Amino acid sequence: MSTQLLGTPNLSFNLNFPTSKGARLTVFGMGGISRNTLDPGKDTTAWEFEKEGYNIIYKNKMGAVGATYDQPLGRKASIRTVLVAGKISLNTTLTHRVSARERFKSGVFLTTQKYRTPPVGPGGDVKSWLVQPFVSWSLQFAPSLTSEIGLHGMISKVEEGIKPGSIVVWTRERR
């Protein structure tokens, strides 16, 4: 018979602070430790799954903390900025509500990147910023039917390009 031990202590928090002029600051974080150890039993006839024939030792740690700042800009617009530490990422989005059914968004994502190069190539790690500007326009045709079109750019040492996109979302109402 195999013995499997699992351990996953986790922590998360989300704190909201209203500020002046309708703005809101949110501080958030999450972290966890995963562990999975499998010791195969010696009696192979008792194995129920193929994995029970292997010694498995898996350990992982992850964590991130960040803050979001939401600021209204008049009655029809707002700006949201999110900063996350862990893998450093910054996102700023400007949203303008043209009407009750129409919305325009533009912004940029900035993310740090780190790649380990293969030993046969130029040695060392590649470190850079990934810059992703975007614009989108959405229109709600009915309470359950929305469409969105937009452009998304990607600029980094590894890849560049502009990708158009569109989506139509139909949401079935629950009764």
Side-chain angles (χ1 to χ4, degrees):
M1 175 153 205
S2 301
T3 305
Q4 185 169 12
L5 300 172
L6 300 172
T8 56
N10 299 307
L11 171 69
S12 66
F13 63 91
N14 190 33
L15 307 170
N16 291 293
F17 304 99
T19 65
S20 64
K21 298 183 182 176
R24 186 178 69 231
L25 175 66
T26 303
V27 179
F28 59 88
M30 66 179 172
I33 301 170
S34 296
R35 184 178 71 239
N36 184 354
T37 304
L38 179 66
D39 185 21
K42 299 200 186 299
D43 181 7
T44 59
T45 61
W47 294 351
E48 294 182 40
F49 304 99
E50 181 181 345
K51 73 175 186 176
E52 294 182 87
Y54 299 97
N55 281 315
I56 297 174
I57 300 174
Y58 170 79
K59 296 178 183 178
N60 188 34
K61 295 178 184 177
M62 70 78 59
V65 294
T68 301
Y69 185 73
D70 289 301
Q71 176 67 58
L73 302 173
R75 293 170 33 124
K76 292 189 172 193
S78 64
I79 190 163
R80 168 180 269 196
T81 301
V82 181
L83 176 64
V84 179
K87 179 179 183 179
I88 297 176
S89 177
L90 175 70
N91 163 313
T92 297
T93 303
L94 173 66
T95 302
H96 177 70
R97 286 171 291 290
V98 178
S99 69
R101 300 180 324 120
E102 199 174 356
R103 183 177 62 204
F104 176 77
K105 283 185 175 184
S106 64
V108 65
F109 290 92
L110 302 171
T111 308
T112 57
Q113 296 184 107
K114 183 177 178 182
Y115 299 99
R116 186 152 300 221
T117 59
V120 294
D125 295 335
V126 175
K127 297 177 186 176
S128 70
W129 283 92
L130 174 63
V131 180
Q132 299 178 80
F134 66 91
V135 293
S136 70
W137 173 71
S138 63
L139 179 63
Q140 183 181 36
F141 295 106
S144 61
L145 184 63
T146 304
S147 71
E148 186 168 342
I149 61 171
L151 291 174
H152 176 257
M154 189 173 333
I155 305 161
S156 76
K157 287 184 179 180
V158 179
E159 185 178 352
E160 290 185 9
I162 296 177
K163 299 176 182 177
S166 64
I167 187 170
V168 174
V169 178
W170 174 65
T171 307
R172 194 176 77 182
E173 294 181 31
R174 293 183 180 200
R175 294 181 182 179

